[in-house]
Amino acid sequence: MLTPPLLALLICSLLSLFAASQTCTIPSHLPETTGKVNIGGSSLIHAPKNAVWNTVLNFSSYPDWNPFVRSQIVADEFAIPLDNQTAFVGAKIIITSQIPPLPQAVDASTPPDILTQHITIEEITVIDAENYRVAWILVSPQQILSTIRWSAVSTVIDKDGVEKSYYESRETFDGPLASIVKDLLGTDIAESFQAQADALKVWMEA
Ligand SMILES: *[C@@H]1O[C@H](CO)[C@@H](O)[C@H](O)[C@H]1NC(C)=O
Ligand SMILES: *[C@@H]1O[C@H](CO)[C@@H](O)[C@H](O)[C@H]1NC(C)=O
């Protein structure tokens, strides 16, 4: 049975047979946001949804392919790295990111760019295996800056009738610092999110 988003896309792709220039918007599986600054990226990946989802959650693989998040380490409540790197709700994660992203392609041996490297402590708040959605938030005084990064993987049929996985990720920034982050880093953060989406596609399709 076709779910409404799949149906919308199918209709969309049928229509595009008649109107070659029509662009179809893929329905989002991210939750609605009410935050004031939202930055994200997405890609259409020719790989099974489960495989893409497992890679998104397999933080240990990030150094091998991710030009934005160079490492994401699962840690305990005191931010001490755990032996078992399986992601779980409530885990602290130590995130080392590059904003803007490193030039692609990267692998585990790609050196960092210290000048554009950021290290944050975040916390996993949602792992929704049923809906293939995961979220983590910045651990910081929320009166100043709060963030939530959602990632989702869904199945779509592309315009040629091929089943693909739609990866999308979006970070919402709130609090007094949100507009400053946007002004100073908004373009670079957007580039980083899209670089991760593009690199995930390359990694999964290889
Ligand atoms: C996670 O990724 C690493 C590195 O790419 C790989 O060696 C490992 O098998 C993966 N783990 C799982 C559970 O898929
Ligand atoms: C790591 O933790 C996960 C879930 O928390 C568990 O399923 C898995 O068996 C653990 N792995 C090891 C090697 O202990």
Side-chain angles (χ1 to χ4, degrees):
M1 213 190 93
L2 288 172
T3 57
L6 280 182
L7 192 61
L9 206 78
L10 193 63
I11 292 168
C12 194
S13 49
L14 286 175
L15 283 174
S16 63
L17 290 175
F18 302 102
S21 66
Q22 175 172 346
T23 51
C24 293
T25 312
I26 301 170
S28 177
H29 280 68
L30 298 173
E32 296 284 334
T33 174
T34 52
K36 74 176 158 188
V37 176
N38 298 284
I39 302 176
S42 63
S43 59
L44 212 44
I45 303 173
H46 198 170
K49 180 163 73 170
N50 268 312
V52 177
W53 170 247
N54 287 335
T55 301
V56 169
L57 283 184
N58 183 1
F59 306 151
S60 308
S61 77
Y62 283 17
D64 295 329
W65 61 271
N66 196 326
F68 168 29
V69 182
R70 296 298 296 137
S71 104
Q72 184 152 317
I73 296 167
V74 178
D76 68 12
E77 60 190 305
F78 307 110
I80 296 169
L82 293 168
D83 287 339
N84 187 343
Q85 283 294 300
T86 307
F88 63 95
V89 171
K92 296 282 192 293
I93 39 180
I94 305 162
I95 299 180
T96 304
S97 55
Q98 296 282 166
I99 305 170
L102 293 179
Q104 292 172 64
V106 295
D107 60 35
S109 67
T110 306
D113 181 343
I114 300 296
L115 294 177
T116 57
Q117 189 179 61
H118 298 250
I119 297 176
T120 53
I121 309 286
E122 312 212 4
E123 182 179 330
I124 300 175
T125 51
V126 179
I127 299 179
D128 178 356
E130 199 176 322
N131 294 300
Y132 296 81
R133 294 204 295 213
V134 58
W136 46 84
I137 62 172
L138 183 66
V139 176
S140 81
Q142 304 225 332
Q143 314 85 287
I144 301 173
L145 181 67
S146 68
T147 73
I148 181 161
R149 179 175 180 174
W150 278 99
S151 302
V153 187
S154 52
T155 302
V156 297
I157 315 286
D158 80 357
K159 61 177 169 39
D160 302 316
V162 178
E163 192 170 295
K164 296 207 168 145
S165 296
Y166 183 47
Y167 163 78
E168 47 184 332
S169 190
R170 178 198 66 213
E171 187 145 349
T172 299
F173 301 80
D174 266 311
L177 268 187
S179 350
I180 296 168
V181 168
K182 186 188 177 195
D183 291 345
L184 289 181
L185 286 172
T187 311
D188 289 344
I189 294 173
E191 201 190 321
S192 289
F193 270 81
Q194 193 52 45
Q196 174 166 349
D198 292 341
L200 179 60
K201 175 182 171 71
V202 171
W203 177 251
M204 295 307 304
E205 291 180 354

